[in-house]
Amino acid sequence: MFKNFKQNKNFTLPIPFNELVGRETAAYFEDLPTDVEELIIGIAGCSPYLKTLLSIHKSWLQEIILKDEFDIISELDSELINASDLFQSLRVCKSKMALWSAICDLSGLWDLDTVTQNLTRFADLVVEHCMEFEFKKFIKFNKSFCSVKKLNRSGWVAIAMGKMGAFELNYSSDIDLIFLFDDSVYRSTEFEEIRMAFIRMTRAISKMLNETSNAGYVFRTDF
C-alpha cells in the first residue's frame, strides 16, 4: 500500500516540529521505506494526538504497509461486524480512521474531497452498525410482539444533515441526524409501543456515539 505514496505526484513530507519525538515513534516500526519513515517522523513530530495513535496502532499499521491494496472502510466494516463489544470497537475504529485519514491527507495521497468523503462514509457506517445493533437487541426481547424482524424492512431511517449530508465531514465535525420511522410498516396495535421503542433506541445510539470512555468518543451527535 505505501508504495503508492511515492508514486503519487502530490506526495509530501511534513516537517517535524520535534524531530526527536518523531524518530522515537518511527522506531516502533520495522523496515520502513525511507519516505514512509520520514512521513511518520513528520506526523508524530508535529501532532501529539497522532503520535499516540501511531503508538497504539503500530501493529495494525505495520500490516497495512505490507498490503498492495487497502480499503479502510471495508476493513473497519469487517471489524465492527465481528465486534464482541460494539461500544469499544467503535472507538477503536474511529481512532484508526482518524490515523489513516491523517496519513493519507498529510502525505498528499488523498485530496480534500477524498478526505471528507471517506470520513463521511465512516460516519455512515457507524450509524448503520448502531442501528443494526439496537434493532437486533429490540427484536431479541420482543419476538412475539414486533411483526418486522429485519432493520432494512423496519421503516426506521436516519437522514444525515449538515456536513454529513453533504459528504463534507472534517476531523472534528459533529454529525446532525434526523431519525424517522414509517408507521405504515406496522400493525395499528403495535404503533405506540414501536414509537416508544424507536425513541429509546435512538437515545441509545446517541449514548453509544457521544459518551466518552478511556478510548474517547465516536462522534458528537445532534438530533
Side-chain angles (χ1 to χ4, degrees):
M1 177 64 209
F2 271 68
K3 66 183 181 182
N4 294 331
F5 283 96
K6 293 186 290 183
Q7 294 171 358
N8 189 290
K9 64 181 181 179
N10 297 317
F11 182 77
T12 58
L13 291 172
I15 299 171
F17 174 77
N18 189 327
E19 186 172 350
L20 177 60
V21 169
R23 292 197 176 278
E24 287 174 349
T25 305
Y28 298 150
F29 300 86
E30 298 176 1
D31 301 322
L32 290 176
T34 301
D35 285 345
V36 177
E37 182 179 6
E38 292 300 316
L39 174 62
I40 289 176
I41 291 170
I43 292 172
C46 289
S47 169
Y49 174 64
L50 293 176
K51 173 192 175 298
T52 299
L53 294 188
L54 283 164
S55 303
I56 292 172
H57 297 306
K58 56 182 180 294
S59 298
W60 175 76
L61 193 58
Q62 188 79 47
E63 290 180 11
I64 295 173
I65 292 171
L66 302 176
K67 292 183 179 180
D68 290 333
E69 297 295 335
F70 178 67
D71 180 351
I72 181 69
I73 303 299
S74 293
E75 166 127 346
L76 298 180
D77 185 28
S78 179
E79 284 194 35
L80 293 173
I81 288 172
N82 297 307
S84 58
D85 181 347
L86 184 62
F87 184 91
Q88 182 70 11
S89 294
L90 284 169
R91 283 149 180 76
V92 171
C93 286
K94 172 63 183 295
S95 66
K96 288 180 177 179
M97 186 70 209
L99 175 60
W100 185 247
S101 299
I103 289 173
C104 291
D105 184 3
L106 295 169
S107 67
L109 184 62
W110 286 357
D111 61 17
L112 178 60
D113 285 344
T114 305
V115 172
T116 59
Q117 286 168 11
N118 275 285
L119 290 171
T120 306
R121 286 176 63 206
F122 176 71
D124 183 70
L125 178 71
V126 161
V127 173
E128 182 180 353
H129 276 283
C130 287
M131 292 178 72
E132 187 73 42
F133 176 80
E134 289 300 326
F135 192 74
K136 283 182 177 178
K137 187 167 65 173
F138 169 68
I139 293 301
K140 180 179 179 181
F141 295 103
N142 296 274
K143 290 179 181 178
S144 61
F145 158 63
C146 186
S147 57
V148 178
K149 306 302 181 185
K150 292 185 179 294
L151 176 63
N152 61 3
R153 297 181 182 179
S154 69
W156 188 35
V157 297
I159 300 175
M161 308 296 287
K163 290 188 180 71
M164 185 177 175
F167 270 75
E168 294 178 349
L169 288 184
N170 59 51
Y171 294 107
S172 61
S173 294
D174 59 2
I175 58 176
D176 301 284
L177 300 170
I178 296 175
F179 279 82
L180 302 169
F181 82 99
D182 180 359
D183 60 345
S184 68
V185 172
Y186 300 92
R187 298 185 293 249
S188 59
T189 54
E190 295 177 319
F191 174 76
E192 288 300 333
E193 289 190 64
I194 286 291
R195 176 177 175 274
M196 293 308 300
F198 281 141
I199 289 172
R200 288 193 298 271
M201 289 189 283
T202 299
R203 288 173 175 165
I205 288 174
S206 176
K207 182 177 180 180
M208 182 84 77
L209 296 177
N210 279 291
E211 193 169 285
T212 300
S213 72
N214 58 353
Y217 64 94
V218 190
F219 286 103
R220 294 185 303 276
T221 308
D222 290 332
F223 292 103

